[in-house]
Amino acid sequence: MLVERALQLDPKCSAAKDEFGATALHLAARYGHVDVVESLAIRHNTIINATDQEYRTAAHVAAQGGHMGVLASLARHLANFNKPDSNDRVPLGILVGNGSVSAKSAQKLVAAGAVVDRVDRNGRSGLHNAVATAAETRAAQVQMWIKLGANVDKQVVDSSRATPLYIAATEISDEEECLTVVRLLLEGGAHPNKPGNREGQTVLQALLDPEMGCEAIPAAHECFRAGADYRK
């Protein structure tokens, strides 16, 4: 192989970086070249978690492209899947966000040490961010995090103390989408009577607030079906 020959001639080239700080491993990961990644990892394991100018590792790059073979190779060589890039993103979050793989595939990163309920610098988990995103894939992302075992009742680590269910009920303006995400969370085990914010307000109390309007009625009905008690 050409890469192996180049490394034999000059082993130091594996650690060399281009103008963007990317190593040969980054480039191999970007284009899904599993054999090159494996060769580099075996011969030069010290670059497994090397970062570019955006603090992205090869795992970040591979996740962006949905290259599960590359991620599997990196996992075998003990890559750090919880290292954040300059935007505070980790490979698992990127993988779920781009919607290109199944939950079964994403679960392989969890098995390799990726933390499902990792909290970012804003105090939010991947599930919190999925619920709050405006992406068309919001429901799919929420479903993926639930399948991965995310804590559906986890509160944001900030002054709001909001749960994913509370965020869905109070921040998703589209009635149908709000109902879909609320239903997914409830079916995933979210507790409808758990305080959803710092004032201790439950999601049902928030939905029945007159300011929420008629659009909130379907989601409120879903909470009633799940055992919500307005008095709590």
Side-chain angles (χ1 to χ4, degrees):
M1 187 195 304
L2 183 60
V3 172
E4 290 185 343
R5 179 58 178 159
L7 291 172
Q8 288 172 356
L9 293 173
D10 184 7
K12 293 181 180 179
C13 72
S14 66
K17 295 187 175 185
D18 64 15
E19 65 270 33
F20 303 108
T23 64
L25 187 63
H26 283 93
L27 297 176
R30 177 177 300 164
Y31 295 107
H33 296 315
V34 181
D35 54 343
V36 179
V37 168
E38 187 69 19
S39 179
L40 287 167
I42 291 173
R43 295 171 180 270
H44 307 278
N45 192 263
T46 55
I47 66 170
I48 285 291
N49 295 312
T51 58
D52 63 13
Q53 290 180 351
E54 300 297 324
Y55 294 98
R56 293 174 298 193
T57 64
H60 287 92
V61 177
Q64 189 65 55
H67 300 307
M68 291 307 302
V70 170
L71 289 168
S73 176
L74 293 171
R76 285 194 295 273
H77 296 283
L78 306 180
N80 182 353
F81 290 120
N82 297 306
K83 195 169 187 175
D85 64 13
S86 59
N87 293 311
D88 207 22
R89 302 184 307 167
V90 291
L92 182 60
I94 294 172
L95 201 63
V96 174
N98 66 25
S100 62
V101 300
S102 66
K104 184 177 180 180
S105 293
Q107 187 66 48
K108 293 178 181 178
L109 262 69
V110 178
V115 177
V116 174
D117 286 317
R118 172 191 175 269
V119 174
D120 64 19
R121 59 192 173 207
N122 295 314
R124 295 194 168 204
S125 67
L127 180 57
H128 288 122
N129 289 323
V131 171
T133 186
E136 293 181 0
T137 57
R138 176 178 1 220
Q141 289 185 44
V142 169
Q143 189 171 38
M144 177 83 80
W145 283 113
I146 292 173
K147 287 181 177 179
L148 290 175
N151 181 353
V152 291
D153 285 325
K154 188 177 182 67
Q155 293 178 298
V156 176
V157 186
D158 68 4
S159 59
S160 73
R161 306 300 295 168
T163 62
L165 186 61
Y166 192 87
I167 293 172
T170 59
E171 295 186 16
I172 301 178
S173 58
D174 182 82
E175 178 182 327
E176 185 175 344
E177 189 173 18
C178 177
L179 176 60
T180 297
V181 175
V182 165
R183 182 177 291 149
L184 282 172
L185 291 167
L186 289 171
E187 291 176 349
H191 200 300
N193 294 315
K194 182 180 177 66
N197 65 3
R198 63 182 177 184
E199 284 81 25
Q201 186 181 46
T202 66
V203 64
L204 184 60
Q205 290 168 341
L207 287 168
L208 294 181
D209 188 309
E211 293 185 3
M212 292 294 288
C214 295
E215 295 82 1
I217 292 177
H221 178 66
E222 197 67 26
C223 290
F224 271 123
R225 289 182 56 196
D229 186 343
Y230 182 76
R231 296 167 297 177
K232 294 197 176 188

